[in-house]
Amino acid sequence: MATRIHPILGAFAILVFFFLLAPLVIIVGSALSDTTFLTFPPQGLTLRWFANIFQMEAFRRTAITSLQVALLGTGLSLLIGIPAAYALNRYRVELPRWLSTLFVLPILVPEIVFGFALLKSITIGLGLPVFISLVVGHALLILPYSVRVVGASLASFDFSIEEAARSLGCPPLKTFMTVVLPNIRAGVIAAFILAFITSINDVSVSVFLTGPGISTLPIQILAHMEQFFDPTIASVSVLLMLVTVGVMAIVEATLGLTFLTK
Amino acid sequence: MPATIAVVLLLVIPVLLTIATTFGEAGGPFSTYAAFFKSGFRMAVLYRTLQIALITTAIALVVGFITAYVIAQMPGRLKSIMIIAAVFPLLTGVVVRSFAWLIILGKNGIINNVLMSVGLIGEPLSMLYTQGSVIVAMVYLFVPLMILTLVGVLEGIPRDLIEAAASLGARPVPTFLQVILPLAAPGLIVGAVLVFTGSFTSYATPQLLGGEKQMMMGTFLYQRAMVTFDWVGASTIAAIMVVITIGVVLIMSRMARRLNPMAV
């Protein structure tokens, strides 16, 4: 589809992009401000708010927890999600239709409801440690990405290659690891990235699964904001945005960013 | 499959158990729901949440559609840049993106500072903790999602169809209304569902920009569960949220299937 664009539409789109990006610029600006309150444009330039984060134990600790939860949760969701995606595509005809719907459920059920239900049943009901509940909660929250995104690349995989390997005597697991997996590499990377970003930014599930002893970075930021309104939060936000930039660079290098609109 | 067991054990059963607790009250199985629907305060929260979610969806649809339309017409390189610019906020966390609006709309925020220095207002306006502030932040949150959903859809519309319409003498506006819009309808519905359910169930944004004054279902659920420890009340809110979300998704996906003109 390509036609000429009316200038009014073009101007409108420019305004929309201004609306989308200006707030992020404002965060960067206020993180650099040499004032004890948040302000934009920055008054004086300093990096002391960034130094300040590293002196705050709570931010360091929760950032580490967030990373651990995101990596473990994403790993776990891929570990169970890839076989599920494989089975859904390989045995599409034999499997009941509700099975693929089941894996969409973590998206359908509101996150905040899921978090509350997990708190009641797992953290309190089963008495599991908070950290385990967090990992489990995140793994489930991001499972749909693993199943759907990996599934999308399996949909274009030619299973006859796999059959060829099997008929030549390659054992099933080895066939999967050496024949199937390399062919769906892009899907696995994409799933990993989407899952990781979702986990590291999650609030709605984590808010129920964090306690006084253990918390994730976004929850810590929320808690900090309720008491202080200084540039520290802006500088933490800038660091999180840098993580996003890094992730986008990885996506661009491995898959090309346009895959996100597909 | 382990994934099946995981979803059933850790999601389906906990959520169903949570909903089940709402039917075990002394006053009869539906007493907590009766209490919810009779309470002016609780109904006000539900109405407010529906209203904010609907307004956000409507604005995101219009803004997202126009922007996606422009992006879809762009030549390759410019298109990639615009897509990157839309993806970046989407991958940035909801806390960070909501926080930006605290700086913009706050008492000492940018808008107040500008208006005061120009002399338009004598003292700062209180824009935070209003329905408007929540809606602005929600639109900000969800427009990128809408844009990305629609760019893919609009790019999928065959160019021949638009050229055919033009060569048969259709003017741009009728071409848009009779060719492009119907072909984009399924995508618009998908986008609308994503934005509606996302804003209907949001927590962080209403928490930061709405506070106690603009309580929404998500913040209300959290408050009932973790502040007043009224777990049955919280479970009732949870059940209502689940029913509305799944209901909207089912109805709209059925509609999307029926509206798809490419499916014969």
Side-chain angles (χ1 to χ4, degrees):
Chain A
M1 187 173 111
T3 41
R4 264 178 300 120
I5 317 161
H6 197 280
I8 294 178
L9 293 184
F12 183 85
I14 291 170
L15 275 180
V16 171
F17 279 105
F18 177 76
F19 170 72
L20 288 182
L21 299 176
L24 302 178
V25 174
I26 287 166
I27 291 180
V28 177
S30 28
L32 297 172
S33 180
D34 196 8
T35 47
T36 53
F37 51 91
L38 278 160
T39 185
F40 186 90
Q43 300 169 12
L45 289 176
T46 174
L47 285 174
R48 70 180 157 117
W49 298 110
F50 287 91
N52 194 32
I53 311 171
F54 294 98
Q55 274 157 27
M56 295 176 90
E57 229 278 295
F59 282 119
R60 216 171 29 196
R61 201 182 51 231
T62 53
I64 292 170
T65 310
S66 270
L67 264 179
Q68 288 170 332
V69 169
L71 287 174
L72 286 173
T74 306
L76 197 62
S77 86
L78 283 174
L79 205 62
I80 60 174
I82 294 174
Y86 174 78
L88 284 176
N89 279 280
R90 184 80 175 80
Y91 310 106
R92 194 189 316 249
V93 200
E94 292 96 333
L95 289 173
R97 277 193 63 193
W98 58 263
L99 209 54
S100 57
T101 317
L102 189 72
F103 297 117
V104 193
L105 275 182
I107 294 181
L108 276 184
V109 172
E111 273 182 48
I112 191 117
V113 171
F114 176 48
F116 177 53
L118 270 183
L119 168 75
K120 283 178 65 168
S121 55
I122 295 189
T123 319
I124 293 175
L126 299 178
L128 281 184
V130 174
F131 185 76
I132 305 277
S133 311
L134 264 177
V135 172
V136 165
H138 281 226
L140 244 77
L141 175 72
I142 57 196
L143 182 65
Y145 296 105
S146 313
V147 177
R148 300 291 293 275
V149 178
V150 174
S153 54
L154 273 167
S156 55
F157 175 69
D158 182 0
F159 282 102
S160 62
I161 308 174
E162 189 200 12
E163 275 157 27
R166 293 280 291 117
S167 69
L168 290 168
C170 188
L173 190 64
K174 196 178 174 202
T175 310
F176 184 79
M177 300 304 277
T178 56
V179 177
V180 182
L181 213 50
N183 273 294
I184 56 168
R185 212 186 96 239
V188 175
I189 297 173
F192 183 90
I193 287 163
L194 283 175
F196 184 84
I197 282 283
T198 309
S199 166
I200 207 119
N201 287 327
D202 174 74
V203 173
S204 297
V205 172
S206 311
V207 79
F208 285 104
L209 302 178
T210 49
I214 195 160
S215 187
T216 63
L217 189 54
I219 305 296
Q220 174 62 28
I221 296 177
L222 274 181
H224 184 92
M225 254 190 268
E226 269 161 29
Q227 290 170 18
F228 313 97
F229 203 62
D230 61 22
T232 312
I233 293 294
S235 47
V236 177
S237 303
V238 171
L239 291 186
L240 281 172
M241 275 153 55
L242 288 177
V243 173
T244 311
V245 173
V247 165
M248 285 182 75
I250 298 173
V251 176
E252 175 65 31
T254 51
L255 310 161
L257 275 167
T258 44
F259 103 94
L260 286 161
T261 58
K262 280 171 194 147
Chain B
M1 275 186 278
T4 319
I5 301 167
V7 174
V8 172
L9 270 188
L10 298 169
L11 183 107
V12 177
I13 293 180
V15 170
L16 288 181
L17 281 180
T18 301
I19 296 176
T21 59
T22 61
F23 298 114
E25 285 298 279
F30 295 101
S31 59
T32 79
Y33 294 94
F36 186 98
F37 293 116
K38 259 188 244 148
S39 154
F41 175 74
R42 288 176 239 184
M43 284 309 277
V45 174
L46 179 59
Y47 280 135
R48 181 186 302 123
T49 312
L50 286 171
Q51 195 179 355
I52 291 176
L54 281 174
I55 296 174
T56 304
T57 309
I59 299 175
L61 271 175
V62 175
V63 173
F65 187 77
I66 297 176
T67 315
Y69 182 79
V70 172
I71 295 178
Q73 318 294 328
M74 287 295 155
R77 185 150 178 77
L78 203 56
K79 187 192 280 176
S80 317
I81 294 173
M82 288 171 109
I83 289 175
I84 292 172
V87 170
F88 187 75
L90 193 65
L91 295 182
T92 307
V94 54
V95 173
V96 173
R97 286 191 284 160
S98 305
F99 165 68
W101 290 96
L102 285 178
I103 312 180
I104 299 171
L105 300 173
K107 269 248 151 62
N108 297 309
I110 296 166
I111 293 187
N112 270 325
N113 282 345
V114 169
L115 290 180
M116 297 239 290
S117 62
V118 180
L120 269 178
I121 49 170
E123 47 194 71
L125 304 168
S126 33
M127 285 173 288
L128 285 180
Y129 316 117
T130 61
Q131 192 156 326
S133 63
V134 179
I135 292 174
V136 168
M138 291 266 201
V139 168
Y140 181 65
L141 217 55
F142 289 110
V143 158
L145 186 63
M146 187 69 92
I147 293 177
L148 288 180
T149 310
L150 293 177
V151 167
V153 173
L154 288 172
E155 282 189 324
I157 296 179
R159 200 175 165 168
D160 308 357
L161 282 177
I162 297 157
E163 280 169 5
S167 71
L168 291 169
R171 314 250 324 126
V173 173
T175 307
F176 175 78
L177 289 177
Q178 291 169 16
V179 180
I180 299 173
L181 205 56
L183 286 170
L188 287 167
I189 291 177
V190 171
V193 169
L194 289 176
V195 174
F196 180 84
T197 53
S199 46
F200 182 73
T201 62
S202 60
Y203 168 77
T205 308
Q207 172 72 18
L208 282 173
L209 292 146
E212 294 270 311
K213 277 194 211 155
Q214 301 294 329
M215 188 104 65
M216 287 176 68
M217 291 296 269
T219 45
F220 192 32
L221 165 57
Y222 181 81
Q223 190 237 28
R224 278 293 136 111
M226 307 301 272
V227 181
T228 60
F229 297 106
D230 169 15
W231 281 30
V232 173
S235 304
T236 308
I237 300 167
I240 295 172
M241 288 175 81
V242 169
V243 168
I244 293 181
T245 314
I246 294 186
V248 166
V249 172
L250 288 180
I251 294 170
M252 297 298 269
S253 57
R254 183 150 300 179
M255 222 163 98
R257 231 172 294 146
R258 194 169 303 169
L259 272 177
N260 189 351
M262 295 295 250
V264 185

